[in-house]
Amino acid sequence: MEQTAAMTLFALTMSISPGPVNLITLSTGLNHGARSALGFVLGATIGFTLLLLLIGLGLSAIATRFGYVIDALTIFGAGLIVYFGYRLLTSNGNLDSAVQSKPNFWQGAALQWLNPKAWGACVAAVGLFELDQSRLALYFFVCLYCIICFFGIGSWAVFGSQVEGFFGTPKRRALLNKTLGAILVILAFFLLYQQFFKAVGL
């Protein structure tokens, strides 16, 4: 029972805390409504839980042996985050012009696999709960995380759709989009910065 409570708290904390995926979900909920963010949320949820499952089954050993894989993922992941950030930075706040720029299922899934923080969270969970020692515990946690992750990420889309009334004018929406876009770009460079100094041992 205590183990389940700890797993639930871990999954909720990791799923609902601010990060690139949740910020993109927030902007989608704001600009297109919560329902339009469903594909991205589902992709991010499945992408993360699949990564968690594979790391629990031993994928982390491959990543550890071939460190350049994580470096490459960091670069591609940062590039994808910058791409989303750039789209928000250049948004004029007009909903009609943003219809074609909704993030989709595959982008949500890819962003999790290209995010070194997601890898770190999965490795931490496997070590913390000794998921590599018990397939039953691993499968249970993956199912639990999938449910919590979906609602945790999805809550950002709901929040975005709820504050849309306050940001109802194109000018206000554009201001928030540019703010979120700037944060995403900063996060991307922060990821690269961390990975670079980790690689050189600083």
Side-chain angles (χ1 to χ4, degrees), residues 69-169:
V69 173
I70 299 298
D71 293 335
L73 288 173
T74 301
I75 294 172
F76 284 114
L80 185 57
I81 294 170
V82 168
Y83 166 70
F84 283 117
Y86 173 77
R87 289 199 322 194
L88 288 172
L89 281 169
T90 56
S91 169
N92 61 9
N94 189 318
L95 293 181
D96 292 335
S97 66
V99 169
Q100 302 300 326
S101 63
K102 291 183 293 186
N104 57 41
F105 175 92
W106 297 110
Q107 289 172 330
L111 188 57
Q112 295 287 33
W113 276 74
L114 295 174
N115 185 357
K117 294 298 183 183
W119 284 75
C122 291
V123 171
V126 169
L128 181 63
F129 301 116
E130 299 181 339
L131 301 178
D132 54 341
Q133 304 299 316
S134 170
R135 292 289 174 86
L136 183 61
L138 173 63
Y139 298 150
F140 172 77
F141 185 63
V142 167
C143 292
L144 177 67
Y145 205 112
C146 185
I147 296 170
I148 294 174
C149 185
F150 178 80
F151 287 103
I153 298 175
S155 66
W156 285 80
V158 174
F159 177 69
S161 66
Q162 293 302 308
V163 299
E164 191 274 336
F166 178 76
F167 295 97
T169 65

Side-chain angles (χ1 to χ4, degrees), residues 38-44 46-47 103-110:
L38 184 61
F40 182 80
V41 171
L42 190 59
I46 292 176
N104 57 41
F105 175 92
W106 297 110
Q107 289 172 330

